Amino acid sequence: MVIAILVCVAATAASIALRLHAVTTGPVAALAGQDTKVTAEITLTNDPKIRRPKPGHFGRDSVVAEATLDSVRTPRHHLTVHTPITVFADGPQWRHLLPSQRVEVTGRLVKPTSAPLTAATLLVRTPPRILTSPSNLQSAAGIFRKGLRDAADVLPPDQRGLLPALVVGDVSRIDPQLNSDLQEAGLSHLNAVSGANLAIVAGAALALSRLVGLPLAPRAAFAALAMLAFAVVARPSPSVLRALLMGLVAVLALGTGRAKDGLAALSVTVLLLILFAPDLAHSYGFALSVTATAGILLLAPRWRAHLTNTPTTAQSPTSPGSTPEGPTSTSLTFLDPTPSRPPHPSPTPQGPSFPCPTPSDPPPLPPTWEPASPLAPYRSDEHPGAGATKGRRWRMPRWVAEAIAVPAAAQAAVTPVLVLMSGQISLIAVPANLLAGPAVAPATLLGFAAALIAPVWPEAAQWLVVPAGYTVGWIILVSQWAVNVPMANISWPGGAAGLALLALVAAVAVLLLRRRAWRTITLAVVAGTLFTMIALRPIIAPWPPRGWLMVMCDVGQGDGLVLAAGPGRAVVVDTGPDPSVMDACLRRLSVRDVPLVILTHPHADHVNGLPGVYRNRRVGAVVTTPHRHPTPQTARLTEELAHHRTPEWTPPPGTRWDLGPASLTVLAPSADEATAEGPGEGSVLNNASIVIHVRWRSGTALLSGDIESEAQESLLRAAVPQADILKVPHHGSPRQVPAFFAAVRPRAALVSVGEDNTYGHPAPPTLAHLRHLGARIYRTDKSGDLAVIAHNGTLAVVARGR
C-alpha cells in the first residue's frame, strides 16, 4: 500500500512538473515576460465567462475565456505554438462564441497572475475575428442549451435562471440575489451542474433500458452514452469530469458483472484527472466535489445503519467472534428470535487424521431468549424482529435515514474545505439540502428532456419546463427560508489555524459521542447553547434597535441608507453596489414596502443594488438626479425601472415628503444650473448628487450623496441648514470644504466606506476636520451597520458590529 501511494504521488508530481516546465519556458513565456503586443490565433477550450465589475468599482462587464494559443505574430516573429492561456476581453461579440472555435485577436501578452498552469494572459481590446465554426459536437451542445433557455422563457424570472443552471450549467440568466441565497443556504451545488445530475441521468437511462428489456451489457453501454451526452451538453466542469469517470468505471463493472467499489472508483478517478488535468489540483470546486463524494461513500452508510439499526454482520452470541457479553457487532438484527445454529463441520476426507478440537453444537435458544446484558432488554413478543440492538426499540425508516445521512455526510466532509475557502461553517446546509433534495431529480430529468426535444419541438419543451419550474421553485423557496434562519452560518477562523481548530473540535466530539451517557449530555448542552444564542441574542443585543429612525447599511464601498416610514415600510436612499447585500440589510430591518427610493446619482456603488430592493417588495417610485449623463449604470437603471414599471421622478429643490416619522426635503441639485466639474474621475456625476435634509422630532440629518468641493461651495452660498447627523460626502474623500462641515455643525458623522478600499477613503484630512468640529465619527468598515435612534429627546447612534 505504501509503495502504491508513493508511485501515485511520484506520477502526479512528475505530471505537474512537466506541465509547469512546458508553460514557464519557451517563446510564449518569453513574450509574456516582455509585455509584447501580438496578433494571435486562439482556440477556445471553454465557454467565455462574463465577469461583473467588483462592487464599488466602475466599468463594464468583462469576459474571461480559457483558450489554446495556436499562433503568434509580432513585428519580428511568426510562431506556431500550442500553449494554454487565459484571455481577458470585453464586448458582446464574445458572449456567443463556443468551445472549439478559432478566432483571431490583437492584444498584449503578459505574465499570468492567478492560473499557475497557463503560459500567459492575453489582454484583448479588439473584437474577435472568427476563423472557424465550432465543431459539430459543440454546435449541437450549444443548440440544446439555447433550446432549454428559450423554452424556460415561459417561467418566472428566478425559475427561468435556475433551471438551465441546474440542468446544463448555463448560469447566464441566474439572478445574483438567488445565487447569493443558494450559497448562504449551502445549496450552491444546485446552481450549477454536479455529479448528482449526471447520476440521475445515468439512473434514468438504466431504468429505461431495463424497461425495454435490454440485456445487461447493452444497458451499461446505453447508460455510458447518456452520461457522455450529458457531460458534453453541460460542459465538463470539475465535478462533472469526476462523476463522469466514476460513472464510466461503474457501468464498466456493471457490464462485465464485476463487483463495484465506490471508493476505489473515486481514487482512480482523482488520480487520472490529476495526471491528465493537473490544473484541477488547485480548484476548490474539484476539492469540494471529491470530498463530498468521499463523505457519502465512507460516512453515509455507517450513519444510515446507525439510524436504522441495520446490522453489518449477523452472528449468534455463541458463534466465533462473539464474547460472553454478546456479539462483537454493535448493530445486530435477528430476523427470527431464535438465532440459527452454526453448521456442522464438514466430514474429514479419507487419509491421515490429525487431532483438533471440534466445536459442539450450541443448544437451541427458546423463542423468548433475552440477552444477558441488562442494558439491552429484549422480548420477541414485544417488538418482533428488533433484537440485540442494545436497547433500541425504534428504528428510523430507511428512506428517512438515507435522506438525512447523505447530506450530513457530504456537509461534514466538505466543511474543512469550506473553512479554508471562506472561514465559515454552515448550520443550515443539512436541513436545507434535506428539503431541497427531492426536487433535484425531477428538475434534472424534465429539464434535460426539454433540452433534447427543444430544437425539434419547442412547444413540447415548454410543456416539460412548466413542471420543472415548479420543482426549481421549491428549491428557491427553501433557499429563501434558509437565509432567514438565525445563525444559519457561523464565523470560523480561516486558513491552517481554522483547520487545526476544526480537527481539535472534531476529535473532542468523537470522544464525547462514543458513549451514550456522554452523547446525551453533549447533545443537550449543544442544543441548549444554540437555543440560548438564538433566543437570547435578540434580547441582549437586538437588531435593529427599537424605534430606529435611520440605518446606514454596511454595503462595502458605496452608500445604502434606510429611513423608517412606518411598520414594515422604509425609504431607501441609494442601494449600494451589491443587490444581495442590500436585500439582506432590508430583511434584517423587516422592510416589506418601499414607497420611495432616492438614487442620488448613477454611479455603480449607489445604484447597482437596486434589484435587491425590488426582491419580494413593492416599490412605489424612484427619484433620480435631473443631471443624468450617458453611462452603463444609467442605461441599466432605465432598463430596470422600465422592467418593473416604476415611475421615475426628478423633483426640484424644495420638494418635500412626509413619510412616517421622517420629513424629507430636497436641497439640490437644480435642473436649471449646470453641474460643476471637478478634476477627479466621475466628479461631474458626484456633484450632481441629490442632497436631502431629514427632520425628525428628535433631530435632523443631512444626506449629502457624493458631492465634492464644487457642489459643497454652491450649497454654502444657498445657506446649507445645520444637522445633528451628517452623512459624510463621497465616503470621506479628500475633496471636502472645511467651511461646509462648519456650516452643518454635525454632532455625529457617518462614513459609508469599504474595508481596505483602494481609494484611501476616508482621507485623514477629512477625519481631522470633523474631529476639530467635535463630531463623533462612525464608520461602516469598523462598526458594520449604523442605526440612528431617538434617545432622551435627542438622536443617538448604535453600531451593530462586524
Side-chain angles (χ1 to χ4, degrees):
M1 181 65 70
V2 173
I3 293 175
I5 292 174
L6 291 176
V7 169
C8 293
V9 171
T12 305
S15 173
I16 296 176
L18 291 174
R19 178 72 174 270
L20 280 172
H21 177 75
V23 300
T24 55
T25 59
V28 176
L31 291 174
Q34 300 171 3
D35 290 358
T36 309
K37 186 175 181 180
V38 299
T39 298
E41 293 183 8
I42 62 175
T43 300
L44 298 178
T45 56
N46 208 337
D47 289 292
K49 298 178 177 61
I50 307 301
R51 190 175 66 169
R52 306 289 183 186
K54 292 182 179 180
H57 290 70
F58 308 127
R60 54 182 176 175
D61 294 348
S62 59
V63 176
V64 181
E66 299 172 4
T68 299
L69 183 62
D70 298 323
S71 70
V72 182
R73 291 200 307 273
T74 68
R76 300 176 56 185
H77 303 91
H78 185 188
L79 304 173
T80 300
V81 294
H82 186 78
T83 306
I85 62 171
T86 302
V87 178
F88 286 88
D90 53 32
Q93 298 88 349
W94 291 87
R95 296 173 182 264
H96 307 292
L97 297 179
L98 294 174
S100 74
Q101 279 191 280
R102 292 186 70 219
V103 298
E104 183 182 80
V105 294
T106 300
R108 193 161 51 91
L109 279 176
V110 299
K111 290 184 177 180
T113 56
S114 58
L117 294 182
T118 57
T121 296
L122 181 60
L123 305 179
V124 178
R125 291 294 179 264
T126 60
R129 185 170 72 88
I130 298 177
L131 300 178
T132 64
S133 300
S135 65
N136 294 333
L137 194 63
Q138 294 294 347
S139 296
I143 291 173
F144 290 134
R145 290 160 71 93
K146 184 178 183 300
L148 180 58
R149 283 198 308 269
D150 294 341
D153 285 339
V154 300
L155 300 176
D158 282 350
Q159 300 175 15
R160 186 187 311 156
L162 182 57
L163 182 62
L166 173 66
V167 176
V168 295
D170 186 350
V171 296
S172 59
R173 297 195 298 183
I174 192 168
D175 182 66
Q177 178 62 45
L178 175 58
N179 187 43
S180 175
D181 288 349
L182 291 171
Q183 289 182 351
E184 192 172 346
L187 299 172
S188 58
H189 58 283
L190 299 182
N191 67 349
V193 175
S194 66
N197 304 84
L198 190 140
I200 291 168
V201 171
L206 286 173
L208 182 63
S209 58
R210 183 171 184 174
L211 186 64
V212 299
L214 291 179
L216 186 62
R219 287 207 305 265
F222 183 66
L225 288 177
M227 288 190 293
L228 288 170
F230 181 80
V232 171
V233 174
R235 303 287 192 257
S237 65
S239 59
V240 173
L241 280 176
R242 186 266 312 156
L244 177 62
L245 288 183
M246 281 195 65
L248 292 177
V249 172
V251 297
L252 178 63
L254 176 67
T256 58
R258 295 176 179 270
K260 300 179 289 294
D261 186 342
L263 190 59
L266 177 63
S267 303
V268 172
T269 299
V270 173
L271 178 62
L272 291 177
L273 287 175
I274 296 300
L275 285 175
F276 294 101
D279 51 320
L280 292 177
H282 66 94
S283 168
Y284 272 119
F286 183 66
L288 290 170
S289 175
V290 172
T291 52
T293 305
I296 293 173
L297 291 173
L298 295 175
L299 301 178
R302 298 183 181 184
W303 292 359
R304 179 189 60 209
H306 181 74
L307 293 173
T308 58
N309 285 342
T310 303
T312 55
T313 59
Q315 295 173 322
S316 65
T318 56
S319 62
S322 298
T323 63
E325 291 77 18
T328 56
S329 174
T330 59
S331 178
L332 293 177
T333 302
F334 293 108
L335 299 180
D336 188 280
T338 306
S340 58
R341 292 154 50 135
H344 287 284
S346 300
T348 304
Q350 297 295 325
S353 60
F354 300 91
C356 61
T358 302
S360 59
D361 293 338
L365 298 172
T368 57
W369 170 80
E370 296 181 11
S373 173
L375 297 178
Y378 167 75
R379 292 186 61 85
S380 62
D381 56 347
E382 291 179 357
H383 196 3
T389 56
K390 292 191 176 181
R392 290 186 179 272
R393 296 174 178 266
W394 176 81
R395 294 182 187 177
M396 184 178 291
R398 182 180 176 85
W399 65 272
V400 177
E402 185 85 22
I404 295 175
V406 169
Q411 187 63 32
V414 302
T415 296
V417 183
L418 294 176
V419 166
L420 287 174
M421 283 177 57
S422 59
Q424 272 194 343
I425 293 181
S426 176
L427 300 181
I428 199 63
V430 172
N433 278 276
L434 183 62
L435 292 173
V440 177
T444 300
L445 294 177
L446 291 171
F448 191 59
L452 294 179
I453 67 173
V456 295
W457 194 0
E459 294 79 9
Q462 292 179 348
W463 297 339
L464 288 174
V465 300
V466 170
Y470 288 122
T471 59
V472 296
W474 170 250
I475 296 174
I476 294 169
L477 287 176
V478 171
S479 67
Q480 293 174 348
W481 163 80
V483 297
N484 289 317
V485 172
M487 296 183 62
N489 296 281
I490 60 175
S491 298
W492 195 268
L499 201 60
L501 179 61
L502 182 66
L504 178 62
V505 171
V508 172
V510 169
L511 291 176
L512 292 177
L513 297 177
R514 289 181 67 88
R515 294 182 179 274
R516 175 172 298 180
W518 294 0
R519 181 164 62 243
T520 304
I521 295 173
T522 302
L523 293 178
V525 171
V526 171
T529 303
L530 289 177
F531 174 79
T532 302
M533 296 176 68
I534 294 174
L536 296 185
R537 184 175 180 180
I539 299 174
I540 299 172
W543 190 265
R546 185 182 299 274
W548 63 274
L549 300 174
M550 182 178 75
V551 171
M552 174 177 279
C553 302
D554 180 14
V555 295
Q557 184 69 12
D559 275 3
L561 295 99
V562 184
L563 303 171
R569 305 176 78 232
V571 175
V572 175
V573 181
D574 286 332
T575 61
D578 191 335
S580 60
V581 175
M582 194 67 211
D583 174 59
C585 183
L586 292 175
R587 285 203 309 262
R588 289 193 294 268
L589 301 175
S590 301
V591 173
R592 300 178 300 275
D593 186 13
V594 182
L596 189 66
V597 175
I598 301 174
L599 301 177
T600 59
H601 63 292
H603 270 163
D605 57 337
H606 291 252
V607 302
N608 277 11
L610 183 60
V613 179
Y614 276 109
R615 190 168 185 81
N616 300 322
R617 296 178 189 89
R618 187 190 71 85
V619 176
V622 173
V623 173
T624 60
T625 177
H627 302 285
R628 294 182 59 181
H629 299 268
T631 64
Q633 285 74 30
T634 302
R636 289 179 188 168
L637 176 59
T638 301
E639 182 181 351
E640 186 80 16
L641 298 182
H643 174 71
H644 292 282
R645 299 180 180 179
T646 304
E648 181 181 358
W649 300 340
T650 54
T655 304
R656 176 177 168 180
W657 299 280
D658 292 324
L659 295 166
S663 177
L664 289 74
T665 304
V666 177
L667 300 182
S670 173
D672 301 331
E673 298 179 3
T675 304
E677 296 186 6
E681 181 183 1
S683 292
V684 173
L685 282 181
N686 287 339
N687 284 324
S689 296
I690 298 175
V691 181
I692 301 290
H693 188 260
V694 185
R695 182 177 296 276
W696 300 284
R697 287 186 178 182
S698 303
T700 57
L702 183 66
L703 312 182
S704 55
D706 275 3
I707 59 172
E708 298 181 0
S709 55
E710 296 81 10
Q712 293 174 19
E713 290 173 350
S714 177
L715 280 173
L716 279 173
R717 291 191 294 269
V720 61
Q722 296 182 5
D724 300 304
I725 306 289
L726 172 65
K727 202 290 294 185
V728 179
H730 200 193
H731 324 293
S733 78
R735 300 201 69 243
Q736 313 288 341
V737 177
F740 174 76
F741 291 160
V744 177
R745 296 179 60 185
R747 294 191 298 109
L750 310 185
V751 185
S752 182
V753 64
E755 187 176 17
D756 297 328
N757 67 88
T758 58
Y759 304 102
H761 297 166
T766 300
L767 300 179
H769 289 315
L770 292 169
R771 293 192 184 99
H772 178 71
L773 294 172
R776 184 163 183 180
I777 299 171
Y778 298 86
R779 299 167 48 172
T780 57
D781 63 333
K782 302 294 185 182
S783 303
D785 295 350
L786 302 171
V788 177
I789 64 172
H791 179 68
N792 294 332
T794 186
L795 298 179
V797 178
V798 178
R800 178 168 180 255
R802 294 180 65 84

